Amino acid sequence: MRRIGIWIALGGLLIGTAACGGGSGGGGGTAKAESLAVGFVAEPANLDFTSTEGAAIPQALLVNVYEGLVKLGQDGTVQPLLAEKWEVSPDRKTYTFTLRPNVTFTSGAPFTADDVVFSLGRVTSDWKLKIKSQFDVVDKVEKKDDTTAVVTLKRPSNGFLYALATRLGAMFSRTGVADLANKPVGTGPYQLAAWKRGDSIRLDANPKYWGTKPALPAVTLKYFKDATAMNNALLTGGIDVISNVQAPESLQQFADPNRFQTVEGTTNGEVVLSMNNGRAPFDDKKVRQAVRHAIDHKALLDTAWAGRGQPIGSMVSPTDPWYEDRTGDYPYDVAKAKALLGGKTYTVKMRIPNLPYAVASAQVVKSQLAQVGITADIEPLEFPARWLDVVFKQADYDLSIINHIEPRDMRIFADKSYYFRYDNPEFGKLLASADEGTEQQQTDELKKAAKLLSDDAAADWLFLFPNLIVAEKGVTGLPKNAISESFDFTGLAKQ
């Protein structure tokens, strides 16, 4: 049996040897790969992304097991999925979705407009995540007939359709939500086959899938933390792909074009130096501004991530129409940082996830802050469980570093209970105006919102996380850009 190993290192608000997935074997003489092993940095605590924060669950299950009416393409545009098409009323408040016929869940239950009503209704009634507020704009969801669902909004919303392409739009079976933490039931090209806690998750191809069948009949998601072991596995032929690279300085090991290929693209992941706006010393705007002037972003990127990635200076990724390069708002200036601190010194807790990019970045941030009189005591926390509990839920931290990978996620700063504890009503007003206005008004207002966040030094944005993949020559279907919350396994193959 031919095995393809692929390691994905993803650790956003997310050892050793490759594991073979459970392909069916047999069939001597075939060159077709029968399984795919995928490596992640952090294992999900459970499989329910309706109640559990973090990136690990949707990266594994969205699009692969769960599908929505629409999805995000590689170019960031909204594309049809379970909905063949949709129409928007002239007042921009009514969306009529035409569903694909003859789609079934892996349980065998048919997918109909009843499931659309059920799934979208559960977001407001049952979901536990803060992001569910994006659906506050929904007034009602109705079934017109089995293949037609109608969503009526309270007001026009530029963000609704985009939000529908995220985990919020995942379709669930009315009879398949009894144990979401352990038994996901979706319409996607894969279904859960096995979960060995602490080690791996195996997905098998869905034999009744309505769309194009995946090239590989099995995918194993293997969890590990050691980047050196990952590199060695690729060098020795134990795996075929590393994605996303967790030790960019090691890329020279894979320079032989006869053996390896490197794919480098972009993501939506803003690596954020979070500051707790809700308690001293970072409830003081001048202290936050001092931190921003104290960070030499180029030196940090060169040191922590081998120069890979892109400084951005805001919570907007370059793929969004309202992106503006805000790196010049707070140029590296030690003297100005000291002046803003007024001669005071501080000792703060920097509680970070125990993920490679965060650990490497924290060391540089600690050194640079020390130059202006801020002593940062680094405390790595196990990710996801400990970091989500201590930092994300309790906001018991002063500084943190995390890769926020959700697309178009600037809105999280509008929630004053979010772990940033940022509170500026004007920011929320700009977001509301942007969502309800024309496309041009949306762009203009969101540019203003990004500038306000920057002016307030609500956080510091260290860099945009790169999508950096190294693979054996001949592996195809590797995504250049990581735009959505999911990693789509269906296009991967090997020549």
Side-chain angles (χ1 to χ4, degrees):
M1 180 177 73
R2 173 63 173 140
R3 177 182 66 180
I4 293 182
I6 175 169
W7 301 93
I8 300 180
L10 296 167
L13 192 76
L14 209 252
I15 314 175
T17 59
C20 181
S24 57
T30 179
K32 184 178 179 180
E34 293 182 352
S35 66
L36 177 72
V38 183
F40 286 84
V41 167
E43 181 183 11
N46 61 65
L47 302 181
D48 181 8
F49 58 57
T50 74
S51 64
T52 306
E53 298 281 1
I57 310 172
Q59 282 167 341
L61 301 185
L62 193 60
V63 175
N64 299 308
V65 173
Y66 291 113
E67 295 180 307
L69 300 179
V70 295
K71 68 175 183 177
L72 291 179
Q74 274 280 290
D75 60 356
T77 60
V78 177
Q79 301 176 355
L81 193 54
L82 289 177
E84 290 182 323
K85 61 181 181 179
W86 59 90
E87 296 178 355
V88 184
S89 63
D91 65 0
R92 298 168 51 216
K93 293 199 297 183
T94 303
Y95 288 71
T96 302
F97 294 93
T98 300
L99 310 182
R100 295 185 187 277
N102 304 317
V103 174
T104 60
F105 290 96
T106 52
S107 62
F111 167 69
T112 71
D114 289 313
D115 300 295
V116 178
V117 175
F118 173 75
S119 299
L120 299 187
R122 287 190 76 252
V123 174
T124 54
S125 65
D126 291 71
W127 282 52
K128 303 295 191 293
L129 310 188
K130 290 181 179 294
I131 60 171
K132 75 175 189 176
S133 64
Q134 293 178 63
F135 271 24
D136 288 349
V137 70
V138 176
D139 182 28
K140 56 184 177 180
V141 185
E142 300 172 295
K143 171 187 175 181
K144 184 176 179 180
D145 54 48
D146 279 351
T147 58
T148 310
V150 180
V151 179
T152 304
L153 307 183
K154 299 172 184 175
R155 55 172 175 77
S157 171
N158 290 310
F160 168 69
L161 196 62
Y162 199 92
L164 205 61
T166 68
R167 73 183 86 175
L168 290 171
M171 292 292 109
F172 296 89
S173 169
R174 287 163 288 157
T175 59
V177 296
D179 189 9
L180 292 176
N182 299 289
K183 298 177 181 178
V185 177
T187 61
Y190 287 100
Q191 57 189 338
L192 179 66
W195 183 9
K196 185 179 180 182
R197 291 178 183 271
D199 180 71
S200 60
I201 292 173
R202 195 183 86 237
L203 304 178
D204 285 353
N206 174 7
K208 298 180 181 179
Y209 183 54
W210 62 267
T212 303
K213 302 297 187 291
L216 298 164
V219 176
T220 298
L221 289 73
K222 181 73 174 178
Y223 298 98
F224 70 100
K225 295 179 181 179
D226 183 48
T228 300
M230 180 190 347
N231 292 341
N232 289 338
L234 180 58
L235 288 168
T236 58
I239 60 175
D240 293 279
V241 182
I242 298 172
S243 172
N244 194 307
V245 173
Q246 289 297 290
E249 69 279 3
S250 68
L251 283 173
Q252 290 184 348
Q253 299 178 79
F254 309 107
D256 183 357
N258 295 315
R259 291 190 61 195
F260 304 109
Q261 58 177 311
T262 300
V263 177
E264 185 168 6
T266 190
T267 74
N268 286 312
E270 305 97 350
V271 179
V272 180
L273 175 61
S274 309
M275 293 182 265
N276 191 338
N277 289 228
R279 74 184 192 189
F282 298 117
D283 57 350
D284 185 336
K285 180 177 175 178
K286 288 186 176 180
V287 178
R288 300 196 303 270
Q289 290 176 321
V291 168
R292 296 206 66 191
H293 279 299
I295 304 299
D296 183 342
H297 294 84
K298 184 178 186 306
L300 181 143
L301 191 56
D302 288 344
T303 304
W305 220 239
R308 306 284 176 159
Q310 177 183 346
I312 49 175
S314 76
M315 196 67 178
V316 183
S317 67
T319 53
D320 291 329
W322 42 89
Y323 172 75
E324 291 182 311
D325 182 351
R326 307 219 63 89
T327 56
D329 288 358
Y330 289 86
Y332 176 56
D333 190 330
V334 171
K336 192 164 186 177
K338 288 182 176 180
L340 283 163
L341 293 177
K344 295 180 181 179
T345 60
Y346 299 96
T347 297
V348 299
K349 297 177 182 177
M350 181 156 43
R351 289 179 159 166
I352 61 170
N354 61 339
L355 298 168
Y357 71 85
V359 172
S361 297
Q363 297 296 332
V364 181
V365 169
K366 176 183 175 72
S367 175
Q368 293 182 350
L369 292 183
Q371 301 303 308
V372 303
I374 299 175
T375 300
D377 294 332
I378 300 173
E379 183 182 349
L381 300 176
E382 183 271 329
F383 187 87
R386 280 284 290 159
W387 186 91
L388 285 174
D389 179 42
V390 175
V391 176
F392 188 80
K393 293 181 180 179
Q394 300 181 43
D396 185 10
Y397 79 104
D398 298 314
L399 295 172
S400 191
I401 296 174
I402 191 70
N403 179 14
H404 280 268
I405 71 166
E406 290 178 357
R408 298 187 179 180
D409 52 2
M410 183 168 59
R411 68 186 178 280
I412 58 181
F413 282 90
D415 181 358
K416 63 183 180 181
S417 69
Y418 205 75
Y419 83 102
F420 300 124
R421 297 298 196 258
Y422 175 68
D423 184 10
N424 187 337
E426 181 60 28
F427 180 74
K429 291 177 183 177
L430 287 169
L431 293 191
S433 176
D435 193 39
E436 197 167 346
T438 65
E439 279 191 25
Q440 186 58 52
Q441 288 171 332
Q442 179 189 33
T443 296
D444 293 343
E445 296 294 86
L446 290 180
K447 284 181 178 180
K448 292 177 185 177
K451 183 179 186 302
L452 180 58
L453 275 188
S454 180
D455 291 346
D456 280 349
D460 187 72
W461 295 273
L462 299 179
F463 60 95
L464 187 76
F465 201 77
N467 190 42
L468 189 59
I469 299 171
V470 179
E472 282 190 356
K473 185 179 180 180
V475 175
T476 60
L478 297 166
K480 178 176 175 61
N481 299 320
I483 299 299
S484 74
E485 298 177 282
S486 66
F487 189 95
D488 187 348
F489 304 128
T490 60
L492 293 174
K494 183 162 183 175
Q495 297 175 345

